[in-house]
Amino acid sequence: PNLVDGYYDVYAGKWGYMTNRFMVHAPFSSGTAGAVIPIENHHYYDDFLFDFTWTKSSTSSGGFWSRGIPVGTFYNEQANPEVDAPDDYGLKCYVTGNAGGTATADDVDNGTSTLISPVFDLSGYSDPYLRYQRWFFDGSQNGNTPDDNFTVKLNNGSSTVTLENTTPAQAPSNMWTYKVFRMADYVSLTNNMRLLVEVSDASGGNPNVVEGALDKFEIKEGMFSSVDELANEPLLVNVFPNPTTGVLNVNYFAPNEGKIKLRITN
């Protein structure tokens, strides 16, 4: 009864499932019929369109993790990202210090800012792979040498292993970077697993400008395609207005380019 008549994009998602973009620019009103939206199980996906309650902790004095549309900052070059990772749903990601302003105002300082995923159950998986995109910036401040870290760890309830420990020399500056891991190569798979993402300013009393971000977290059975795309996305078609006696608009979204045939009947 409180729905405002208009056109909406409709998504469905749940922790442990693949998000489904069900409709694009579809007309809705208070009289629109309900719909059952299928979402794929056995497939963790989170591009932070939904809030699946990742947790945060920090020993730093700033640059705390937050979920939102990133607010760009600059320190000779891009420090905090201006946009989230490309080719996902929505505009949000997790980012350290997202208050905007000058780059030194809300970056990670004098400690570590940690982001922790909800528990995921891999006990029923045979050969799962993990992928995500990350952003890491470490800019010299007051002549200090950049010596900070972006660290990703995997915990299975009893032990913790490091997937990557990125230093300024290893990280392409101010850009989204794609990473993929075969999880069984690092730790035993259990029903009590978490991902930990740590961004650290290790400079003590001589801090640098340190920023990090995470987007497009995904775990599925088997290796990902070499093409970075939204997996198992059907062709999505929307026809509006419906019914009509005049102009008919057709919107479609397909994850793979190529020839597509559309046939519409009344």
Side-chain angles (χ1 to χ4, degrees):
N2 297 321
L3 180 69
V4 177
D5 292 359
Y7 290 89
Y8 292 84
D9 296 343
V10 180
Y11 300 83
K14 183 180 179 180
W15 184 247
Y17 294 74
M18 179 64 194
T19 299
N20 182 351
R21 178 161 57 181
F22 183 64
M23 291 183 178
V24 178
H25 197 69
F28 279 84
S29 67
S30 58
T32 300
V36 176
I37 304 175
I39 51 177
E40 178 194 353
N41 196 359
H42 207 65
H43 191 157
Y44 288 88
Y45 178 81
D46 195 357
D47 58 13
F48 311 116
L49 174 71
F50 299 111
D51 185 0
F52 292 142
T53 62
W54 292 55
T55 57
K56 288 87 69 177
S57 66
S58 183
T59 62
S60 64
S61 58
F64 310 126
W65 284 100
S66 65
R67 170 181 163 268
I69 299 173
V71 179
T73 60
F74 293 83
Y75 192 76
N76 299 321
E77 56 183 330
Q78 188 91 41
N80 210 55
E82 254 185 339
V83 295
D84 69 337
D87 302 323
D88 69 346
Y89 297 136
L91 302 174
K92 294 181 179 179
C93 62
Y94 261 102
V95 61
T96 59
N98 202 33
T102 62
T104 59
D106 195 25
D107 66 317
V108 180
D109 282 326
N110 300 316
T112 299
S113 188
T114 303
L115 178 67
I116 306 168
S117 76
V119 170
F120 47 92
D121 181 0
L122 298 185
S123 59
Y125 286 67
S126 299
D127 190 23
Y129 280 71
L130 160 71
R131 69 174 173 179
Y132 54 80
Q133 293 202 39
R134 60 153 165 81
W135 175 289
F136 179 45
F137 177 81
D138 191 8
S140 174
Q141 186 176 357
N142 300 324
N144 299 324
T145 301
D147 56 358
D148 309 302
N149 302 83
F150 187 112
T151 306
V152 181
K153 299 177 180 179
L154 195 60
N155 179 276
N156 68 356
S158 60
S159 61
T160 301
V161 297
T162 298
L163 297 178
E164 62 167 337
N165 183 25
T166 305
T167 65
Q170 299 168 329
S173 184
N174 69 323
M175 63 184 295
W176 284 104
T177 302
Y178 172 92
K179 302 297 293 186
V180 60
F181 301 90
R182 182 176 183 263
M183 302 181 76
D185 291 340
Y186 293 87
V187 68
S188 298
L189 306 178
T190 72
N191 63 352
N192 186 29
M193 306 194 70
R194 291 181 184 268
L195 190 78
L196 296 85
V197 184
E198 300 174 349
V199 179
S200 301
D201 177 15
S203 301
N206 300 303
N208 293 307
V209 178
V210 182
E211 295 284 11
L214 180 77
D215 205 1
K216 294 190 71 174
F217 166 90
E218 187 172 4
I219 297 172
K220 78 174 190 69
E221 194 76 80
M223 181 60 179
F224 291 98
S225 166
S226 59
V227 178
D228 186 19
E229 64 187 25
L230 293 172
N232 301 315
E233 177 85 27
L235 175 66
L236 298 175
V237 180
N238 182 40
V239 179
F240 63 95
N242 182 17
T244 182
T245 58
V247 174
L248 186 68
N249 301 279
V250 179
N251 280 352
Y252 73 89
F253 170 83
N256 299 302
E257 294 185 3
K259 292 183 178 180
I260 297 174
K261 291 184 178 181
L262 299 177
R263 182 172 62 184
I264 301 171
T265 58
N266 62 15

